[in-house]
């Protein structure tokens, strides 16, 4: 095959339209597409890592760079079959093809799949201009325009966007048949807020390697299987899987085994058969020999009505090996730290109590709604003496 077709998109509707046309061409057998954001300071390094002058692996429609949050960037090889299978299964779960409002970056898999879903629905998406950042006011205007068309109507957001929209009064969210929330875990308190506002939120779990969300509200999409493997690692199979990684046969062989993709996440399946994602395996905190999942502590903290969001990380400790540390964003006046610690203790026992807890105005982000845990760790280490 030929080298990938590099398409730069900066969030303007015109640049998204260029990407949309290139993706549709690739789905029909044209050159594979490599989407990139020129606003990213590391975009040139990311481009070089994708080997843009080398022929793309056979069968690739989209070469999707990973965020690089867990190491050096990798290019995920997505076929037309994987992309279309995911889009069709999503529509089936949500209630049929509909009109989409694109409000997340199109160069990430979540936003790119909105382009694919819209293609299958026979209606181009309404594109929110995010070149200058995300604006609740602009979203409300765009939502009003979309909701005047024949439905059903959908949009996809990350948790931080949903929070800002709810803080702004809802901004037309209740008019959507479904609001798919992915890119990061959906806190229980945020789901409760959305539901109380009449918003039908659907929590999506997935990644570039699964052509976007493949588990909705804990239940796998049609054709997708989920199991818990060694070390409680989540494993996924189905036609939504990528074909591997760009020019990395060893890493492909390690991650894609006998039709199963071995994720870097840990989880469990509850009595009702629903998947519960506990977080990245590398993020587990080993404190005094007890393993604590950060997401479980975060859920305990965000259940407090005065907490908007939280990020929990491990800090090294001479006595315990590691301790639980939390950065907390209050929704108003910060609650007493002792109160939050007691809430964590009541829910999780002593090992889940944050030994370090700091209130912050916002959490640093990495990618589309993903919290930059390394930055949080550095912030907490600096304030705790660890």
């Amino acid at each position: 095959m030929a080298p990938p077709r590099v398409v730069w998109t900066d969030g303007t509707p015109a640049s998204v339209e260029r990407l949309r046309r290139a993706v549709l061409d690739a789905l029909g057998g044209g050159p594979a597409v490599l989407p990139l954001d020129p606003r990213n300071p590391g975009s040139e390094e990311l481009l070089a890592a994708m080997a843009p002058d080398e022929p793309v692996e056979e069968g690739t429609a989209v070469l999707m760079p990973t965020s690089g949050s867990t190491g050096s960037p990798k290019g995920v090889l997505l076929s037309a079959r994987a992309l279309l299978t995911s889009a069709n299964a999503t529509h089936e779960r949500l209630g049929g093809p509909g009109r989409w409002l694109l409000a997340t970056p199109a160069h990430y898999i979540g936003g790119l799949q909105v382009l694919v879903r819209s293609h299958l629905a026979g209606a181009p998406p309404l594109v929110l201009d995010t070149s200058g950042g995300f604006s609740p006011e602009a979203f409300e205007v765009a939502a009003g325009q979309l909701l005047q068309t024949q439905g059903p109507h959908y949009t996809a957001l990350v948790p931080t966007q949903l929070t800002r929209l709810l803080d702004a009064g809802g901004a037309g969210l209740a008019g959507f048949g479904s609001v798919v929330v992915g890119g990061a875990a959906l806190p229980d308190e945020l789901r409760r807020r959305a539901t109380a506002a009449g918003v039908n939120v659907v929590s999506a779990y997935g990644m570039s390697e699964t052509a976007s969300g493949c588990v909705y509200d804990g239940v796998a999409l049609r054709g997708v299987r989920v199991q818990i493997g060694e070390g409680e690692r989540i494993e996924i199979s189905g036609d939504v899987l990528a074909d591997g990684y760009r020019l990395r046969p060893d890493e492909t062989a390690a991650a894609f085994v006998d039709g199963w993709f071995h994720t870097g996440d840990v989880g469990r399946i509850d009595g009702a058969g629903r998947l519960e994602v506990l977080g990245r395996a590398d993020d587990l905190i080993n404190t005094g020999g007890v393993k604590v999942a950060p997401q479980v502590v975060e859920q305990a903290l965000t259940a407090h009505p005065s907490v908007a969001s939280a990020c929990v990380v491990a800090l090294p400790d001479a006595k315990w090996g590691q301790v639980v540390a939390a950065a907390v964003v209050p929704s108003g006046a910060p609650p007493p730290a002792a109160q939050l610690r007691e809430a964590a203790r009541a829910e999780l026992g002593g090992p889940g109590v944050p030994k370090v807890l700091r209130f912050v105005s916002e959490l640093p982000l990495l990618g589309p709604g993903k919290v930059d845990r390394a930055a949080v760790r550095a912030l907490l280490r600096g304030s705790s003496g660890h």
Side-chain angles (χ1 to χ4, degrees):
M1 294 184 68
R5 176 181 177 182
V6 180
V7 180
W8 298 93
T9 176
D10 60 4
T12 61
S15 69
V16 172
E17 175 61 16
R18 288 195 297 272
L19 177 59
R20 187 185 75 88
R21 291 180 180 275
V23 169
L24 297 191
D25 186 31
L27 292 177
V33 176
L34 169 57
L36 291 171
D37 182 1
R39 297 168 297 177
N40 179 355
S43 60
E44 291 298 333
E45 290 79 4
L46 189 59
L47 174 62
M50 295 301 104
D53 297 327
E54 296 286 335
V56 176
E57 288 82 345
E58 189 71 28
T60 302
V62 171
L63 174 58
M64 180 61 64
T66 63
S67 65
S69 59
T70 57
S72 60
K74 294 192 289 285
V76 178
L77 306 170
L78 290 166
S79 66
R81 183 181 71 169
L83 293 164
L84 294 170
T85 297
S86 171
N88 278 315
T90 294
H91 277 153
E92 180 182 282
R93 178 63 58 84
L94 297 182
R99 295 293 305 271
W100 284 84
L101 171 56
L102 175 62
T104 58
H107 62 281
Y108 289 116
I109 188 60
L112 187 135
Q113 269 293 27
V114 169
L115 304 181
V116 179
R117 296 166 193 157
S118 298
H119 165 62
L120 292 180
L126 181 60
V127 178
L128 182 68
D129 189 335
T130 58
S131 58
F134 178 76
S135 163
E137 294 77 18
F139 181 93
E140 184 172 16
V141 171
Q145 295 174 356
L146 185 75
L147 295 174
Q148 292 177 10
T149 64
Q150 184 175 356
H153 304 101
Y154 307 119
T155 191
L157 303 170
V158 297
T160 51
Q161 291 175 315
L162 178 59
T163 298
R164 292 183 62 187
L165 291 170
L166 291 173
D167 288 345
L173 285 171
F176 288 90
S178 295
V179 176
V180 180
V181 182
L186 176 64
D188 291 341
E189 177 59 24
L190 182 56
R191 181 188 285 274
R192 287 192 288 268
R193 283 188 64 196
T195 301
V199 183
N200 180 33
V201 291
V202 178
S203 176
Y205 168 71
M207 55 216 74
S208 295
E209 289 89 340
T210 62
S212 195
C214 63
V215 178
Y216 281 22
D217 284 337
V219 179
L221 297 180
R222 177 178 54 83
V224 175
R225 294 177 60 201
V226 177
Q227 65 182 19
I228 304 301
E230 184 178 352
E232 299 185 326
R233 297 285 184 110
I234 299 170
E235 299 176 357
I236 300 169
S237 70
D239 287 343
V240 299
L241 292 189
D243 291 332
Y245 297 115
R246 169 78 159 151
L247 301 176
R248 296 195 180 191
D250 291 345
E251 293 190 34
T252 295
F256 296 84
V257 182
D258 297 329
W260 290 87
F261 171 59
H262 293 212
T263 76
D265 298 320
V266 292
R268 59 194 176 201
I269 296 176
D270 65 19
R274 292 179 180 270
L275 174 67
E276 181 181 359
V277 182
L278 300 177
R280 299 285 303 175
D282 294 342
D283 292 334
L284 285 178
I285 303 168
N286 191 334
T287 179
V290 178
K291 291 185 178 179
V292 177
Q295 185 169 323
V296 177
V297 184
E298 291 165 3
Q299 289 173 351
L301 296 174
T302 56
H304 193 287
S306 296
V307 173
S309 59
C311 177
V312 172
V313 298
L315 290 184
D317 184 82
K319 179 180 179 181
W320 299 101
Q322 293 179 323
V323 295
V324 176
V328 176
V329 179
S331 56
Q339 196 176 96
L340 294 181
R341 289 190 169 99
E342 284 308 307
R345 185 184 303 278
E347 185 73 22
L348 307 167
V353 177
K355 297 283 195 301
V356 177
L357 193 152
R358 176 177 174 181
F359 293 104
V360 296
S361 59
E362 61 182 7
L363 297 174
L365 298 181
L366 178 71
K370 296 180 181 178
V371 176
D372 188 342
R373 291 183 178 273
V376 170
R377 191 174 294 109
L379 182 153
L380 293 174
R381 184 183 291 118
S383 66
S384 68
H386 279 77

